[in-house]
Amino acid sequence: MGSSAGSWRRLEDSEREETDSEPQAPRLDSRSVLWKNAVGFWILGLCNNFSYVVMLSAAHDILKQEQASGNQSHVEPGPTPTPHNSSSRFDCNSISTAAVLLADILPTLVIKLLAPLGLHLLPYSPRVLVSGVCSAGSFVLVAFSQSVGLSLCGVVLASISSGLGEVTFLSLTAFYPSAVISWWSSGTGGAGLLG
């Protein structure tokens, strides 16, 4: 029994020598890798939710385009006086801001409901690309649109970007230490503040 254990140790040593002769990538400091991952996921969370938050915050201004002719933004010199017989002192749009809220939430909800059915068949890089293009397109579409309907299409693009990005980036956390989920969450909160 002792001789078989000795030969097994020699076999282990010879295997170790074979694997040690192969060139290895330089090891990075584990703390620097941890910080790079943490900051990376914080930025991903921030970028993913930024357009979503901006569209919700600007809901009133997006719908106000219907009143402005030619989508020309200008600063009014002072508050417009309201007639005394007005029933409300609030400035309201003919379309409720709930339209922007629905356009910003429903596509994300649909993506999150349907993602388990087959989104895993699509590689990560096309998903990230589509998410980024939708996010950039949402800002361009809302900024240059001449109608409320087109602006709402831009809000839908922001929603698609956010929903697809969330499903993609959170599934990527399986390949990293569990602490990156906290950093992702913090980044999404940062998007709320910066947006």
Side-chain angles (χ1 to χ4, degrees), residues 158-173:
S159 179
I160 290 170
S161 167
S162 180
L164 184 62
E166 185 173 335
V167 169
T168 300
F169 296 132
L170 284 179
S171 64
L172 275 174
T173 60

Side-chain angles (χ1 to χ4, degrees), residues 5 12 38 60 65 72 75 88 92 99 122 171 178 183 189:
E12 261 184 22
H60 183 73
Q65 290 177 358
Q72 298 171 355
V75 178
S88 174
C92 296
L122 188 64
S171 64
S178 61
W183 285 91

Side-chain angles (χ1 to χ4, degrees), residues 112-158:
K112 289 178 185 177
L113 287 174
L114 296 179
L117 300 178
L119 193 62
H120 62 280
L121 300 173
L122 188 64
Y124 285 106
S125 50
R127 287 194 259 170
V128 172
L129 181 67
V130 168
S131 179
V133 167
C134 284
S135 182
S138 70
F139 285 117
V140 171
L141 200 57
V142 169
F144 295 113
S145 69
Q146 298 293 325
S147 68
V148 174
L150 202 56
S151 293
L152 289 177
C153 288
V155 174
V156 167
L157 279 180

Side-chain angles (χ1 to χ4, degrees), residues 63 66-67 92-96:
L63 295 174
E66 186 176 280
Q67 296 170 355
C92 296
N93 292 322
S94 59
I95 300 174
S96 173

Side-chain angles (χ1 to χ4, degrees), residues 70-131:
N71 194 15
Q72 298 171 355
S73 299
H74 63 281
V75 178
E76 295 184 17
T80 55
T82 57
H84 294 290
N85 60 359
S86 174
S87 62
S88 174
R89 63 180 174 87
F90 298 107
D91 180 26
C92 296
N93 292 322
S94 59
I95 300 174
S96 173
T97 53
V100 173
L101 181 66
L102 285 174
D104 212 11
I105 290 184
L106 288 180
T108 298
L109 180 65
V110 169
I111 288 173
K112 289 178 185 177
L113 287 174
L114 296 179
L117 300 178
L119 193 62
H120 62 280
L121 300 173
L122 188 64
Y124 285 106
S125 50
R127 287 194 259 170
V128 172
L129 181 67
V130 168
S131 179

